[in-house]
Amino acid sequence: MNRYPPLADHGMVGDLQTAALVSSGGTIDWWCTPRFDSPSVFASLLDSERGGCCRLAADLPDDSGATVHQLYLSDTAVLVNRFLAPGGVGEVADFMTPIDSTTATDRHRLVRVARVVRGSLPFTFACSPRFDYARAPHSLTRSGDRSAVFHGPGTDLHLQATDLVPLRTEGDDITARFTLGAGEMAAVVLTSTVSGAPVPHTPSMDAVAEELEACRAFWHAWLRSSTYRGRWQNMVNRSAITLKLLTYAPTGAPIAAATMGLPEQIGGERNWDYRYTWIRDASLSVRALIDLGFEREAHAFRHWLRDRTEAGATASGDPLQIMYRVDGEPHLSEETLGHLEGYMGSAPVRAGNAAADQLQLDIYGEAADALAVGGDIGAIRGWKAFSDVLDWLADNWDRPDEGIWETRGGRQNFTYSRLMTWVAFDRGVHLATTYSRPADVARWTGVRDAVFRQIAQRGWSEKRQAFVQHYATDVLDASLLLMPRVGFVSPRDPDWLTTLDAMDEELVSDSLVYRYDPAASPDGLRGSEGTFNLCSFLYVEALARSGRLQQARYAFDKMLTYANHVGLFAEEIGPSGEQLGNFPQAFTHLALIAAAIALDEELDKAEIRPGAGTGYRRQPGGEAPGG
């Protein structure tokens, strides 16, 4: 087995149409272009020998005593690796200039700038692309001393360097070695285009410096729209930038994560492709964006969502499917890439996602909630499509489905799915009456109330004194932490507080929260998984709203320590505190924002009313704040 960096030992750069992961060692381990969901050019995260990568770093022996620090320039998506060595101090800055446009493009630039600020340092560069998930060969064309083109199937990758970088050909790859003294800078630029596109101009160092400054200015200007002034400014800003980086600007559709195939258990089979737009994840992001003041981004996604409702029935006959490509294309056939060994041998590596064909009824509630926030119901045609969806749901809400976690162990009557169908009808009734739109309001109201009664009767376990995962089990499910947020139950309702207590006992491990217990509720897959970061932040929000403020703040502060060195989260936390799953995950960062906002609001209330909201319930096996 080959050596791999820690899974989350990366920062992310992007231009709002694609994104790349750069390790703290200076290696681009992942880049798909021209879109998030395109085949990879670099994929050494999934196979360190065959996947392909691009490395630019100080050339320092292991025993040099050098240290490396990776960081973002404050409030930007410019990523910097700093190399501190006995001979000098240098850095490599990576960035992509944002293309914040409704026009998709096949041309994307990834810029890498090396400089030395003290002493002198040798640098090494190696570019080894492997097109189409490392399945396709490529050829190489040189053009002078500072330019080369890698030709893959349908894609050209142009490599250009400034004066101080002497490019050398090694087989079909490019390498370079060079030394910079204090004050000197050099750059390499990777530009992906369609095959045969015009060759970019060879950049000057002055032009690269201007591009870097333009990138910084974009992010500073964008972040000024944020209305958040709370206690966790840095982490909320970083999460907001991450959500923006994971959003496809031409359509406004956010993807679930930048990667595919990264394991939820090292060596296990839970390795999915997350480079698509989930109705659920994206709809939940709308509230986070609006709460931060990013109305434009929220509106863009709602427009994309309305287009999906107007597109008509899917292949299964349902009005929506659970996920789409960023342009709204519904076909996401899943294939196994058997030639890739997977991260640390975690196979199979999957491209595409067969879960797109699952029935998950909760998506209609999240979609309705996203459209209801701000009353963005669209034109007459958009309302008709939305009301048609609810009319369909009125006939289909009482069906077993695969549920929010996309289990592959058979359909169940999941309580969370029923909860979100209640949300769909509740928001539909509200929109129809508020905006005087034609609808069968009486029927929608009747179904809404029937769903409520069913959840109260069948989703509640007298034995556990808690709401449970589905009607045939007493197992708990952390997705139900959203019950108070969507308005189904008061956050201080006695039945909710006993549900929260039961989750403390079954799902919570020192403030980290499991989605559910797969041993008690089989999901059709082998192996185990870590605690789920989304659920851990939902837990914080639920604690805060329920009045357990001290416990909530303690859990939140601990949760923030699991972020990687540049403030990013993957999907899960493993038994040794390591990050697992696809990275970085939008779901986690939107939940972090929601938790921070909830905590700020409740703490502010408690400061106005001294002594309020400081309740703490000791967790089994946990410790009280402050020791």
Side-chain angles (χ1 to χ4, degrees):
M1 186 179 300
N2 302 317
R3 296 179 61 188
Y4 290 84
L7 188 148
D9 185 31
H10 296 81
M12 178 174 65
V13 297
D15 64 6
L16 312 184
Q17 296 191 24
T18 183
L21 298 187
V22 186
S23 76
S24 62
T27 300
I28 301 172
D29 283 314
W30 181 255
W31 187 26
C32 298
T33 184
R35 294 192 331 195
F36 297 116
D37 55 358
S38 298
S40 63
V41 173
F42 302 127
S44 54
L45 259 185
L46 297 178
D47 195 309
S48 60
E49 286 189 350
R50 290 181 287 269
C53 65
C54 177
R55 184 168 188 266
L56 176 59
D59 189 9
L60 303 169
D62 293 339
D63 60 356
S64 66
T67 57
V68 181
H69 299 284
Q70 190 176 58
L71 67 150
Y72 279 110
L73 297 186
S74 181
D75 289 341
T76 77
V78 178
L79 190 66
V80 177
N81 280 327
R82 303 202 76 214
F83 302 91
L84 284 65
V89 176
E91 61 188 31
V92 173
D94 290 285
F95 69 95
M96 300 179 74
T97 301
I99 308 171
D100 198 10
S101 168
T102 57
T103 301
T105 178
D106 291 320
R107 183 176 291 260
H108 300 274
R109 286 165 57 85
L110 202 167
V111 183
R112 318 200 71 186
V113 182
R115 72 167 184 156
V116 169
V117 298
R118 182 177 297 174
S120 66
L121 284 179
F123 287 82
T124 183
F125 173 76
C127 187
S128 305
R130 299 293 181 263
F131 293 86
D132 188 26
Y133 306 118
R135 291 183 295 195
H138 70 268
S139 59
L140 176 66
T141 300
R142 290 296 304 271
S143 177
D145 295 334
R146 296 192 289 130
S147 182
V149 184
F150 302 93
H151 304 279
T155 301
D156 286 345
L157 183 64
H158 301 265
L159 169 61
Q160 296 166 309
T162 55
D163 289 336
L164 298 179
V165 185
L167 300 180
R168 296 174 49 192
T169 300
E170 292 192 11
D172 289 331
D173 300 330
I174 293 290
T175 64
R177 292 181 181 275
F178 57 97
T179 298
L180 299 179
E184 290 186 313
M185 301 175 65
V188 292
V189 180
L190 299 170
T191 306
S192 67
T193 69
V194 294
S195 295
V199 177
H201 296 296
T202 302
S204 68
M205 201 60 244
D206 287 343
V208 169
E210 290 177 3
E211 191 174 356
L212 172 58
E213 186 54 38
C215 183
R216 293 178 63 176
F218 170 88
W219 288 108
H220 288 157
W222 180 79
L223 206 55
R224 279 197 293 272
S225 297
S226 174
T227 57
Y228 181 78
R229 300 294 182 269
R231 295 166 177 82
W232 293 278
Q233 189 86 46
N234 289 339
M235 288 301 295
V236 168
N237 284 357
R238 180 53 50 201
S239 290
I241 290 172
T242 302
L243 290 179
K244 179 72 169 174
L245 282 170
L246 292 174
T247 300
Y248 186 66
T251 63
I255 59 172
T259 59
M260 55 173 258
L262 295 183
E264 297 173 20
Q265 179 187 30
I266 301 300
E269 67 170 335
R270 300 168 186 260
N271 318 314
W272 315 112
D273 191 344
Y274 275 18
R275 300 170 300 149
Y276 309 114
T277 300
W278 268 252
I279 295 289
R280 174 189 310 109
D281 303 34
S283 295
L284 290 172
S285 73
V286 168
R287 185 175 296 274
L289 291 168
I290 289 178
D291 286 346
L292 293 179
F294 295 115
E295 296 278 353
R296 173 172 167 257
E297 284 75 11
H299 175 76
F301 169 69
R302 285 191 297 237
H303 182 80
W304 181 92
L305 180 58
R306 287 200 308 270
D307 286 347
R308 304 288 73 71
T309 63
E310 293 176 20
T314 64
S316 65
D318 302 338
L320 294 172
Q321 64 182 45
I322 70 168
M323 71 182 90
Y324 298 83
R325 295 187 182 275
V326 290
D327 60 357
E329 165 63 41
H331 302 295
L332 285 80
S333 57
E334 185 175 294
E335 62 178 320
T336 297
L337 305 181
H339 63 289
L340 297 177
E341 75 163 12
Y343 179 83
M344 293 185 67
S346 302
V349 174
R350 298 179 177 93
N353 201 311
D357 297 326
Q358 289 187 351
L359 176 67
Q360 297 178 22
L361 292 171
D362 68 281
I363 65 172
Y364 298 99
E366 286 109 358
D369 193 50
L371 293 172
V373 175
D376 189 8
I377 57 177
I380 293 173
R381 186 178 61 183
W383 173 258
K384 183 181 185 306
F386 175 72
S387 61
D388 287 347
V389 168
L390 284 193
D391 288 341
W392 175 90
L393 189 61
D395 292 327
N396 289 274
W397 68 270
D398 198 17
R399 294 166 60 187
D401 68 353
E402 277 86 4
I404 180 176
W405 306 129
E406 297 169 8
T407 60
R408 301 192 179 192
R411 294 179 176 180
Q412 296 286 351
N413 293 302
F414 285 103
T415 305
Y416 179 79
S417 296
R418 295 293 194 275
L419 169 70
M420 297 311 291
T421 59
W422 176 88
V423 170
F425 292 113
D426 181 74
R427 303 319 189 251
V429 169
H430 168 76
L431 289 171
T433 55
T434 301
Y435 296 97
S436 302
R437 294 301 172 97
D440 193 345
V441 174
R443 187 186 187 205
W444 292 0
T445 302
V447 175
R448 180 197 64 186
D449 296 346
V451 177
F452 185 95
R453 288 190 291 268
Q454 187 187 90
I455 293 173
Q457 294 167 5
R458 300 181 63 192
W460 172 262
S461 167
E462 284 293 332
K463 175 183 176 182
R464 301 300 304 274
Q465 287 294 291
F467 292 101
V468 291
Q469 184 181 59
H470 59 77
Y471 296 167
T473 186
D474 285 326
V475 172
L476 304 179
D477 192 308
S479 64
L480 298 179
L481 287 164
L482 281 166
M483 275 185 150
R485 186 202 285 187
V486 300
F488 184 87
V489 65
S490 164
R492 303 197 185 198
D493 185 289
D495 287 347
W496 173 248
L497 295 179
T498 57
T499 298
L500 199 53
D501 291 343
M503 289 186 183
D504 279 346
E505 295 169 1
E506 181 171 303
L507 300 180
V508 179
S509 173
D510 191 34
S511 302
L512 299 174
V513 182
Y514 290 95
R515 296 188 292 181
Y516 56 90
D517 180 0
S521 180
D523 57 12
L525 297 166
R526 296 187 302 273
S528 62
E529 62 178 17
T531 55
F532 209 70
N533 293 330
L534 162 73
C535 299
S536 297
F537 284 120
L538 293 180
Y539 175 65
V540 170
E541 181 181 356
L543 288 173
R545 298 302 190 193
S546 70
R548 299 174 180 179
L549 266 183
Q550 195 171 357
Q551 186 181 357
R553 185 164 190 172
Y554 186 53
F556 188 65
D557 287 340
K558 284 200 292 186
M559 190 61 200
L560 295 184
T561 68
Y562 290 100
N564 81 346
H565 54 287
V566 291
L568 302 183
F569 283 91
E571 187 176 26
E572 300 180 7
I573 301 297
S576 300
E578 72 277 16
Q579 298 210 40
L580 296 171
N582 284 302
F583 174 86
Q585 196 203 35
F587 227 170
T588 300
H589 286 277
L590 71 88
L592 184 157
I593 291 168
I597 290 172
L599 259 179
D600 278 318
E601 290 177 354
E602 299 301 327
L603 287 168
D604 288 346
K605 292 176 186 176
E607 290 173 1
I608 295 172
R609 297 178 287 109
T614 57
Y616 176 79
R617 181 180 182 278
R618 182 181 293 273
Q619 299 174 43
E623 69 274 14

